[in-house]
Amino acid sequence: KQEVTQIPAALSVPEGENLVLNCSFTDSAIYNLQWFRQDPGKGLTSLLLIQSSQREQTSGRLNASLDKSSGRSTLYIAASQPGDSATYLCAVQGGVKAAGNKLTFGGGTRVLVKP
Amino acid sequence: DVKVTQSSRYLVKRTGEKVFLECVQDMDHENMFWYRQDPGLGLRLIYFSYDVKMKEKGDIPEGYSVSREKKERFSLILESASTNQTSMYLCAATGQLIYEQYFGPGTRLTVT
């Protein structure tokens, strides 16, 4: 059974510092990996999706890498801003399409960027 | 952008009531999902549907049922609400090609 872990559970950094968020998964047979952002009391916003054949994806200040063989993904946020404060979740989709594209989520990393 | 909407942001119901949570997506997406999110337990899949009138149980289907009569609408039903179903409920939709999941804003359900 796939398990997804995000460490640390919480992170506090001063504004301007680069953020590094980690995600690990136990079964390397994944179809894709997705990073989400969640603000308190809100739904999830998709940030980046990395397909299993890709090594990284970039969007603005965000860069996500994927190392399937070691079961790891890292989300980098450059030059953090107070508006980046949120919970960041990673989720992996299993390699079997017939499973309905189900995602397995990590517990999330709660980020606070201090002005 | 895909838009996924949920009928209510906040809902308060009494124990034993039948509760309907509605989810609508505005793209022609095949797959739809219902999750619940609880502190310390993360997101857990309740049910999903990969086509009209098709449904499959997720990890925690007990106490819930679903309905998908039209492609754009996926409903979660609590047949007899209980206090342990107090939670944040999140609906999601995904396409067939890239399978990126898009989430609705969530419904915070309180059962008293």
Side-chain angles (χ1 to χ4, degrees):
Chain A
K1 182 186 171 188
Q2 178 75 269
E3 290 183 5
V4 181
T5 304
Q6 292 183 251
I7 295 174
L11 189 58
S12 179
V13 299
E15 182 177 1
E17 194 165 296
N18 295 334
L19 279 164
V20 180
L21 306 179
N22 299 305
C23 173
S24 61
F25 46 94
T26 55
D27 185 351
S28 63
I30 64 168
Y31 192 77
N32 63 41
L33 183 145
Q34 203 167 348
W35 281 95
F36 295 90
R37 169 189 171 132
Q38 186 176 31
D39 294 293
K42 302 286 180 65
L44 277 66
T45 300
S46 178
L47 297 174
L48 290 167
L49 179 144
I50 312 176
Q51 297 190 56
S52 61
S53 57
Q54 298 174 318
R55 300 278 301 190
E56 67 176 342
Q57 277 284 355
T58 298
S59 175
R61 293 185 295 114
L62 277 59
N63 173 275
S65 65
L66 174 64
D67 184 342
K68 263 182 50 174
S69 60
S70 67
R72 294 181 188 211
S73 176
T74 303
L75 177 67
Y76 301 89
I77 304 177
S80 62
Q81 303 168 359
D84 294 328
S85 298
T87 297
Y88 292 83
L89 297 112
C90 74
V92 298
Q93 181 184 319
V96 180
K97 285 170 57 175
N101 321 119
K102 292 192 292 182
L103 292 179
T104 302
F105 283 84
T109 296
R110 191 170 67 253
V111 170
L112 175 64
V113 180
K114 294 184 282 189
Chain B
D1 272 356
V2 177
K3 194 154 205 178
V4 179
T5 56
Q6 295 182 230
S7 50
S8 306
R9 291 299 311 277
Y10 301 96
L11 211 51
V12 180
K13 296 291 182 181
R14 295 186 181 240
T15 302
E17 276 193 79
K18 190 168 186 175
V19 181
F20 292 86
L21 302 182
E22 305 286 338
C23 176
V24 177
Q25 47 116 345
D26 68 352
M27 297 294 287
D28 194 30
H29 282 235
E30 306 290 336
N31 304 317
M32 296 186 75
F33 306 79
W34 275 107
Y35 297 87
R36 64 177 283 177
Q37 185 177 30
D38 301 285
L41 296 175
L43 274 102
R44 294 178 292 168
L45 182 65
I46 306 171
Y47 265 98
F48 65 97
S49 168
Y50 51 89
D51 205 347
V52 175
K53 296 192 186 293
M54 306 301 286
K55 60 186 179 186
E56 288 214 16
K57 294 178 181 178
D59 300 318
I60 51 162
E62 297 78 20
Y64 303 95
S65 62
V66 290
S67 171
R68 190 149 182 219
E69 296 297 318
K70 292 184 178 181
K71 195 171 190 177
E72 67 271 19
R73 187 179 298 270
F74 190 35
S75 303
L76 180 69
I77 303 158
L78 287 67
E79 295 289 342
S80 178
S82 63
T83 55
N84 63 13
Q85 291 178 312
T86 291
S87 186
M88 170 72 111
Y89 289 87
L90 293 161
C91 175
T94 187
Q96 290 291 74
L97 292 179
I98 300 178
Y99 311 110
E100 186 169 2
Q101 283 207 10
Y102 299 92
F103 281 78
T107 296
R108 171 74 65 185
L109 173 67
T110 302
V111 183
T112 61

